[in-house]
């Protein structure tokens, strides 16, 4: 009996997923399978397409391998577009021949919509869809200074980030009044715009482009309907997608009024032998533009072809959790409150840059939707309430409030029903995960391999790990301490691998010891490890993609899009001449000036482009960066000690300056604070610091692992009556042991609490050298001290690094023209927006 023929047109993510599902069914044995792909590459991950600009290759992004297709007996035709479809004869035609089918699957996806703008055919105008598109954009960027993305949706902001990574001044032009109008409301869109502009991407909303012509100072000029214009060197269109339904139209299949191949619940078209899945399919008058619904369609169709009478597509959750240009964005369910009787609860923290909106039912018992910008830590909990119909607490606002303001803790995994959807891309429930564990999966990796959870968009990674860890612990299984899914190691183990093997880049580390492309957990953690080991400049080429905003611009980003500058003032000691310089700089740039709690001067209100100018003036006066933006030593606070105070028994200022100059620039798992008091009266509050030093008649007492922050911890007395040399040697050892062994973003206080053996063990290692590593710790610290550089000075003296601080390419302004200021207590501050 001859086999039937199944043809799949389209080798994208959804088409590939269908093949994975179908070859696992009994029906697979009945079919010869042919696959046609228009591109020359195998199916690849478009969700992480932008990583192609940060070092990923097609092989890194590929969904499978040519060997897999061969092993499955699939006849793969890449770079062979199907140009004709004859439904009567059941054949498809390419430029290489004609092929017959018994069942046909259209997984043709979509194509980018390019508005009918005069000049859109210019050779420096692109779309953002394929690897070939990205190659063309990269080539164009080589000779340009600025780039514009037309479209402020999800993909548009991804494209803007790509242009930024290529070293261009990036602009986003959006026709709507706000960014991401489909997912966000006006408040959320405004905050997202604010945060993106803080990162140096200029946003232009309510702009309709009428023509693209030759520019005067750049390659192109975009003319807008309001008579304004913008000059740029390249343009990327990301103004939405349209279903790729040309074959369906030409063959007479039913299509929607606005496009899309009409399908029923079984993903079958108006022809019973032809099916459609993914972005080309129109179900219930809806096109689904996310990968998760496409995967659900693929699974449904695989079941239908396998004879499953119950297989049916019933729509899909369109909730999204993203990080756009480093900014958290989340949208759940009915985010705009269109359900009759819906009510809204909003939390807006302008200081922290967090906006959260809950849409609840009229009776306040059901979560209908949500919007989050700036902080997605509440997303997983809110999503589970929405997806599973979990009854809201009596005070639902606690779900979006910070814990310090009465916020409820995150919804624990035990509160989720077995039917709770954990991974929407692959339709994996909590019950599926429990079943996989009961069947023998003993860690996160094996659960992912068995269920495919978190192998789609990756948005469920954190929730998946929480559920897996909880279920394993309930079964008495020791839970893995892996940093994340990309590295099967703890932070401590990764540090060891980097140090021992001399690894200096994230790309090398993940290639040799990890997998995938990395995430927002491992990238900054590895960035910190590399800095701790090799002390290279924060803007070294390989490190930039790993950093957060403050590290990237070596200044602290403020709520109004400006930056604060904190020069180092070791021990709080400063000469009158240096004080005068600070005053002169603050006056010249109209900066708000404040003495910090760590005995330094903070200058607020500098724009991005002003930072290098201000740094140059401070450096010329003898100042250095204070590293207020980094996970590093912040300050060493001191009293005046024996030099002036009648109670002082040691020179606390001199010791504070010595310690600050020694440890400045050291990158650690978290920020580190120190203090030195000249006597037991403790005016410097040393016992609330990570490292506290108190003078005695015979030397110095050292206290370690204190914390005066959100969760205060009194430091522990570690050693007494130390000489200057003994004190420094002991601190060297403790700091480097902390740097090597602490978990990601772990303060010294928490490190101590989690340290097996506690204080006594730490004393044995550091004071008695029980592990024989003290000489190595001291040597490592000596290397850090010897390779110190002022990051500000290096940046202003390097033209390439300095380019990152350009705000405007085609205009001379340095101040944000829309920022409003007022005067309070004789200093300028931003106008506070009304709540």
């Amino acid at each position: 009996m001859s086999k039937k023929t199944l043809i799949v047109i389209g080798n994208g993510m959804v088409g590939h997923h269908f093949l994975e599902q179908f070859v696992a069914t009994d029906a697979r044995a009945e079919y010869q399978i042919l696959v046609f792909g228009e591109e020359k590459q195998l199916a690849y991950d478009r969700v992480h397409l932008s990583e192609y600009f940060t070092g990923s290759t097609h092989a890194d992004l590929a969904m499978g391998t040519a060997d897999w297709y061969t092993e499955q007996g699939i006849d793969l035709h890449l770079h062979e577009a199907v140009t004709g479809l004859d439904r009567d004869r059941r054949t498809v035609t390419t430029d290489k021949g004609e092929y017959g089918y018994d069942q046909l699957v259209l997984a043709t996806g979509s194509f980018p919509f390019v508005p009918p703008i005069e000049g859109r055919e210019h050779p420096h105008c692109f779309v953002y869809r394929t690897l070939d598109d990205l190659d063309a954009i990269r080539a164009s960027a080589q000779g340009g200074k600025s780039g514009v993305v037309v479209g402020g949706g999800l993909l548009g902001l991804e494209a803007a980030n790509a242009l930024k990574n290529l070293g261009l001044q990036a602009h986003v032009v959006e026709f709507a009044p706000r960014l991401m109008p489909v997912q966000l409301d006006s408040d959320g869109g405004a905050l997202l715009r604010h945060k993106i502009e803080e990162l140096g991407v200029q946003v232009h909303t309510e702009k309709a482009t009428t023509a693209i012509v030759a520019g005067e100072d750049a390659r192109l000029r975009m003319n807008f309907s309001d008579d304004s214009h913008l000059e740029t060197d390249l343009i990327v269109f990301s103004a939405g997608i349209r279903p790729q339904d040309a074959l369906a139209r030409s063959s007479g299949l039913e299509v929607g009024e606005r496009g899309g191949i009409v399908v029923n619940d079984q993903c079958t078209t108006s022809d019973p032998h032809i099916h459609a899945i993914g972005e080309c399919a129109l179900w219930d008058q809806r096109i689904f533009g996310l990968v998760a619904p496409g995967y659900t369609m693929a699974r449904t169709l695989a079941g239908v072809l396998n004879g499953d009478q119950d297989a049916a597509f019933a729509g899909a959750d369109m909730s999204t959790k993203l990080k756009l240009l480093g900014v958290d964005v989340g949208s759940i369910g009915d985010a705009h409150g269109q359900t009759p009787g819906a009510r809204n609860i909003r939390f807006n923290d302008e200081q922290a840059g967090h906006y959260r909106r809950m849409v609840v039912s009229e009776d306040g018992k059901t979560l209908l939707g949500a919007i989050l910008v700036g902080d997605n830590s509440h997303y997983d909990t809110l999503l589970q309430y929405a997806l599973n119909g979990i009854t809201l607490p009596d005070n639902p606002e606690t779900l979006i409030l910070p814990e310090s303001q009465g916020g409820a803790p995150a919804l624990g995994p035990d509160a989720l029903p077995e039917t709770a959807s954990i991974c929407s891309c692959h339709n994996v429930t909590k019950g599926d995960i429990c079943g996989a564990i009961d069947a023998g999966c003993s860690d996160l990796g094996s659960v992912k391999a068995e269920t495919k959870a978190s192998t789609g968009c990756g948005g469920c990674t954190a929730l998946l790990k929480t559920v897996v860890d909880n279920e394993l612990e309930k079964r008495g299984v020791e839970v893995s301490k892996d940093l994340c899914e990309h590295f099967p190691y703890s932070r401590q183990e990764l540090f060891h691998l980097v140090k021992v093997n001399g690894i200096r880049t994230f790309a090398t580390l993940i290639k040799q010891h990890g997998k995938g492309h990395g995430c927002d957990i491992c990238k900054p953690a590895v960035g910190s490890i590399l800095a701790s080991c090799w002390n290279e400049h924060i803007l070294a080429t390989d490190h930039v993609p790993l950093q957060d905003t403050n590290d990237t611009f070596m200044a602290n980003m403020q709520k109004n899009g400006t930056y604060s500058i904190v020069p180092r003032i070791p021990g709080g000691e400063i000469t009158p001449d240096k004080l005068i310089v600070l005053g002169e700089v603050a006056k010249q740039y109209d900066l708000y000036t404040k003495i910090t709690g760590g005995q330094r001067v903070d200058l607020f209100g500098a724009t991005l482009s002003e930072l290098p100018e201000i740094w140059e003036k401070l450096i010329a006066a003898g100042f250095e960066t204070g590293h207020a933006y980094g996970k590093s030593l912040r300050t060493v606070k001191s009293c005046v000690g024996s030099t002036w105070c009648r109670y002082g028994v040691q020179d606390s200022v001199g010791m504070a300056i010595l310690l600050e100059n020694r440890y400045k620039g050291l990158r650690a798992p978290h920020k580190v604070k120190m203090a030195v008091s000249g006597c037991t009266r403790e005016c410097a509050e040393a016992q609330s610091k990570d490292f506290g030093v108190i003078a005695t008649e015979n030397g110095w007492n050292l206290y370690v692992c204190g914390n005066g922050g959100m969760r205060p911890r009194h430091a522990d007395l570690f050693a007494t009556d130390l000489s200057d040399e003994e004190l420094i040697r002991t601190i060297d050892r403790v700091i480097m042991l902390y740097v090597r062994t602490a978990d990601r973003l772990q303060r010294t206080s928490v490190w101590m609490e989690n340290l097996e053996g506690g204080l006594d063990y730490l004393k044995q290692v550091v004071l008695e050298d029980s592990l024989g590593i003290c000489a190595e710790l001291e040597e490592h610290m000596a290397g850090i001290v010897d390779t110190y550089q002022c990051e500000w000075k290096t940046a202003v003296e390097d033209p390439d690094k300095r380019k990152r601080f350009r705000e405007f390419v085609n205009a001379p302004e340095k101040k944000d023209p829309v920022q409003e200021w007022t005067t309070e207590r004789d200093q300028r501050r931003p106008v506070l927006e009304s709540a």
Side-chain angles (χ1 to χ4, degrees):
M1 179 178 175
S2 62
K3 288 187 176 183
K4 295 179 286 187
T5 300
L6 170 66
I7 289 181
V8 179
I9 302 177
N11 189 227
M13 296 179 72
V14 173
H16 178 79
H17 187 67
F18 166 76
L19 293 170
E20 288 183 319
Q21 300 299 307
F22 184 70
V23 298
T25 67
D26 294 336
R28 190 267 173 269
E30 303 173 15
Y31 287 92
Q32 174 190 5
I33 304 174
L34 284 75
V35 178
F36 293 89
E38 189 172 14
E39 294 184 65
K40 59 181 179 289
Q41 300 98 343
L42 279 169
Y44 53 87
D45 184 355
R46 294 187 199 275
V47 174
H48 296 95
L49 189 63
S50 295
E51 295 178 11
Y52 190 61
F53 283 134
T54 58
S56 292
T57 64
H58 169 258
D60 297 322
L61 298 174
M63 307 289 292
T65 65
D67 288 343
W68 181 84
Y69 283 82
T70 301
E71 291 165 2
Q72 299 299 328
I74 298 173
D75 188 3
L76 180 63
H77 298 253
L78 292 178
H79 208 202
E80 186 174 348
V82 175
T83 55
L85 167 58
D86 188 329
R87 291 169 51 202
D88 294 330
R89 297 175 56 233
R90 292 189 198 168
T91 61
V92 298
T93 304
T94 74
D95 61 358
K96 296 182 179 180
E98 186 177 82
Y99 307 84
Y101 67 84
D102 294 286
Q103 297 289 337
L104 176 67
V105 178
L106 299 174
T108 49
S110 62
F111 63 91
F113 170 66
V114 178
I117 301 169
E118 178 188 344
R120 64 187 181 279
E121 304 88 359
H122 192 281
H124 289 285
C125 291
F126 308 94
V127 294
Y128 195 85
R129 187 66 176 170
T130 68
L131 292 177
D132 289 341
D133 294 333
L134 269 59
D135 284 334
I137 292 170
R138 194 202 314 263
S140 176
Q142 292 299 317
K145 295 181 179 179
S146 66
V148 169
V149 176
V150 177
L154 300 178
L155 191 58
L157 296 180
E158 285 283 347
N161 189 45
L163 296 185
K164 190 166 175 285
N165 288 335
L166 288 172
L168 300 178
Q169 168 62 59
H171 297 256
V172 174
V173 172
E174 168 58 47
F175 178 76
R178 64 179 182 272
L179 297 173
M180 294 181 64
V182 174
Q183 291 83 10
L184 302 182
D185 59 12
S186 57
D187 289 337
L191 177 58
L192 178 61
R193 172 177 183 160
H194 176 69
K195 284 181 167 289
I196 286 175
E197 289 188 326
E198 286 175 344
L199 297 173
V201 175
Q202 301 302 306
V203 178
H204 313 264
T205 54
E206 297 184 275
K207 294 290 185 182
T209 308
T210 57
I212 299 170
V213 299
E216 295 179 5
D217 299 317
R219 295 171 184 155
L220 304 170
R221 169 174 164 151
M222 301 175 69
N223 292 330
F224 302 128
S225 59
D226 60 3
D227 294 329
S228 64
H229 68 272
L230 177 65
E231 293 208 350
T232 181
D233 292 305
L234 65 90
I235 298 172
V236 177
F237 288 102
S238 183
I241 59 172
R242 297 292 184 268
Q244 189 68 270
D245 56 12
L247 280 176
R249 289 180 182 275
S250 66
S251 64
L253 284 173
E254 183 182 354
V255 297
E257 183 178 346
R258 301 182 63 184
I261 307 167
V262 175
V263 297
N264 60 17
D265 292 353
Q266 284 68 46
C267 298
T268 301
T269 71
S270 54
D271 185 325
H273 298 281
I274 302 177
H275 318 272
I277 54 178
E279 292 174 336
C280 68
L282 179 71
W283 177 87
D284 194 25
Q285 299 300 313
R286 297 180 65 190
I287 296 287
F288 295 89
L290 298 178
V291 68
Y295 279 6
T296 303
M297 287 182 173
R299 289 192 297 272
T300 299
L301 181 55
V304 168
L305 294 179
N306 193 45
D308 183 353
Q309 300 297 317
D310 297 323
F313 180 73
D317 175 53
M318 293 295 283
S319 301
T320 54
K321 180 173 67 170
L322 307 153
K323 186 175 285 288
L324 299 167
L325 288 96
V327 180
D328 281 350
V329 177
S331 179
I332 296 172
D334 181 14
H336 294 286
Q338 297 175 340
T339 303
R343 297 182 176 181
N344 296 281
I345 303 172
R346 291 181 173 88
F347 172 79
N348 195 358
D349 185 344
E350 294 181 350
Q351 181 66 33
H354 297 163
Y355 173 72
R356 296 188 277 276
R357 171 185 175 182
M358 292 173 58
V359 180
V360 302
S361 59
E362 191 170 6
D363 61 7
K365 294 182 179 179
T366 304
L367 180 66
L368 303 175
I371 291 173
L372 304 98
V373 178
D375 175 21
N376 270 341
S377 61
H378 300 256
Y379 179 90
D380 289 339
T381 290
L382 294 175
L383 181 65
Q384 293 305 321
Y385 270 98
L387 290 183
N388 298 291
I390 300 173
T391 302
L392 291 169
D394 293 336
N395 300 307
E397 68 275 7
T398 60
L399 296 180
I400 58 173
L401 286 173
E403 287 190 28
S404 60
Q405 297 181 31
L411 191 66
D414 285 333
L416 300 178
E418 293 290 295
T419 56
S421 175
I422 304 302
C423 174
S424 58
C425 287
H426 292 280
N427 195 31
V428 181
T429 66
K430 177 184 173 184
D432 295 330
I433 293 168
C434 293
I437 292 173
D438 291 337
C441 294
S442 59
D443 56 27
L444 180 63
S446 59
V447 169
K448 289 176 65 175
E450 176 66 24
T451 65
K452 301 297 184 183
S454 189
T455 61
C457 72
C460 64
T461 301
L463 178 60
L464 174 67
K465 188 176 190 310
T466 299
V467 172
V468 171
D469 287 353
N470 181 70
E471 293 300 323
L472 288 174
E473 287 177 348
K474 286 165 64 175
R475 291 160 174 76
V477 179
E478 184 177 354
V479 174
S480 167
K481 301 300 181 183
D482 294 355
L483 183 67
C484 69
E485 62 179 297
H486 302 102
F487 288 102
Y489 303 99
S490 65
R491 182 194 174 278
Q492 179 180 351
E493 291 167 335
L494 279 179
F495 187 100
H496 180 76
L497 289 171
V498 168
K499 187 67 176 175
V500 171
N501 296 302
I503 296 172
R504 291 181 175 267
T505 68
F506 179 84
T508 302
L509 183 64
I510 200 166
K511 181 178 180 180
Q512 295 182 0
H513 301 286
K515 61 183 178 179
H517 317 296
C519 63
D520 296 319
I521 294 174
C522 61
K523 284 183 177 180
V526 172
S528 173
I529 291 171
L530 293 172
S532 297
C533 286
W534 314 121
N535 217 25
E536 293 178 340
H537 193 269
I538 198 70
L539 295 188
T541 303
D542 294 316
H543 296 181
V544 171
L546 311 178
Q547 309 301 339
D548 63 17
T549 303
N550 289 350
D551 269 327
T552 298
F553 298 118
M554 295 175 286
N556 288 334
M557 184 172 59
Q558 301 302 316
K559 60 184 289 185
N560 69 332
T562 61
Y563 294 82
S564 71
I565 298 168
V566 186
R568 187 170 298 284
I569 302 176
E573 181 181 84
I574 188 168
T575 65
D577 285 340
K578 285 188 174 182
L579 276 175
I580 290 170
V581 170
L582 290 178
E584 290 174 340
V585 168
K587 190 171 183 179
Q588 178 180 349
Y589 292 91
D590 199 8
L591 304 177
Y592 173 86
T593 309
K594 186 183 183 302
I595 305 296
T596 74
Q599 298 178 332
R600 301 198 286 193
V601 178
D602 208 340
L603 307 173
F604 292 83
T607 63
L608 186 66
S609 60
E610 288 174 339
L611 291 177
E613 300 175 10
I614 295 173
W615 294 340
E616 283 180 321
K617 296 179 185 300
L618 296 176
I619 291 166
F623 287 104
E624 298 176 323
T625 172
H627 287 95
Y629 48 83
K631 299 295 186 286
S632 53
L633 176 69
R634 293 297 174 85
T635 62
V636 182
K637 187 176 180 180
S638 76
C639 63
V640 295
S642 58
T643 306
W644 295 94
C645 180
R646 56 189 172 131
Y647 300 107
V649 294
Q650 299 286 351
D651 179 10
S652 58
V653 178
M655 179 53 71
I657 293 171
L658 177 63
L659 294 178
E660 187 155 349
N661 282 328
R662 181 170 184 79
Y663 303 120
K664 61 187 179 184
L666 169 69
R667 298 283 166 162
H670 214 298
K671 61 186 176 184
V672 175
K673 296 182 179 181
M674 298 184 180
V676 183
S677 287
C679 71
T680 55
R681 290 175 176 262
E682 252 282 70
C683 292
E685 301 170 332
Q687 293 174 79
S688 65
K689 301 294 187 291
D690 297 277
F691 293 87
V693 179
I694 301 177
T696 70
E697 294 288 349
N698 300 315
W700 307 97
N701 286 352
L702 174 62
Y703 291 78
V704 298
C705 302
N707 185 356
M710 182 179 294
R711 193 162 67 89
R713 182 185 189 276
H714 198 281
D716 294 310
L717 179 61
F718 190 72
T720 60
D721 294 335
L722 300 173
S723 66
D724 290 2
E725 294 77 13
E726 290 171 332
L727 174 66
I728 292 170
R729 183 167 62 247
T730 304
I731 295 176
D732 280 358
R733 295 175 177 180
V734 177
I735 289 183
M736 291 316 305
L737 187 64
Y738 161 65
V739 167
R740 291 182 172 209
T741 62
D743 284 339
R744 166 183 168 268
L745 297 179
Q746 190 176 54
R747 290 292 301 268
T748 59
S749 56
V750 182
W751 173 66
M752 169 64 82
E753 291 170 356
N754 293 340
L755 193 64
E756 188 173 349
L759 183 66
D760 290 338
Y761 172 76
L762 187 61
K763 287 182 177 180
Q764 292 170 7
V765 174
V766 171
L767 300 179
E768 301 171 19
D769 198 12
S770 60
L771 299 180
I773 62 172
C774 286
E776 183 181 341
L777 297 175
E778 293 172 23
E779 182 181 0
H780 190 169
M781 179 59 78
I784 295 294
V785 173
D786 292 342
T787 55
Y788 170 78
Q789 60 181 309
C790 172
E791 292 174 349
W792 287 352
K793 186 173 186 293
T794 301
V796 298
E797 291 177 351
D798 185 326
D800 289 334
K801 291 181 174 62
R802 190 158 183 158
K803 284 180 184 177
R804 299 185 64 82
F805 299 90
R806 295 182 307 181
E807 279 187 294
F808 300 91
V809 174
N810 299 314
E813 294 94 347
K814 291 186 178 179
K815 293 291 182 183
D816 183 349
V818 301
Q819 176 63 58
E820 295 184 33
W821 301 88
T822 188
T823 301
E824 184 176 63
R825 294 183 294 277
D826 296 324
Q827 290 208 80
R828 186 183 68 153
R829 69 158 175 81
V831 172
L832 299 178
E833 298 178 9
S834 58

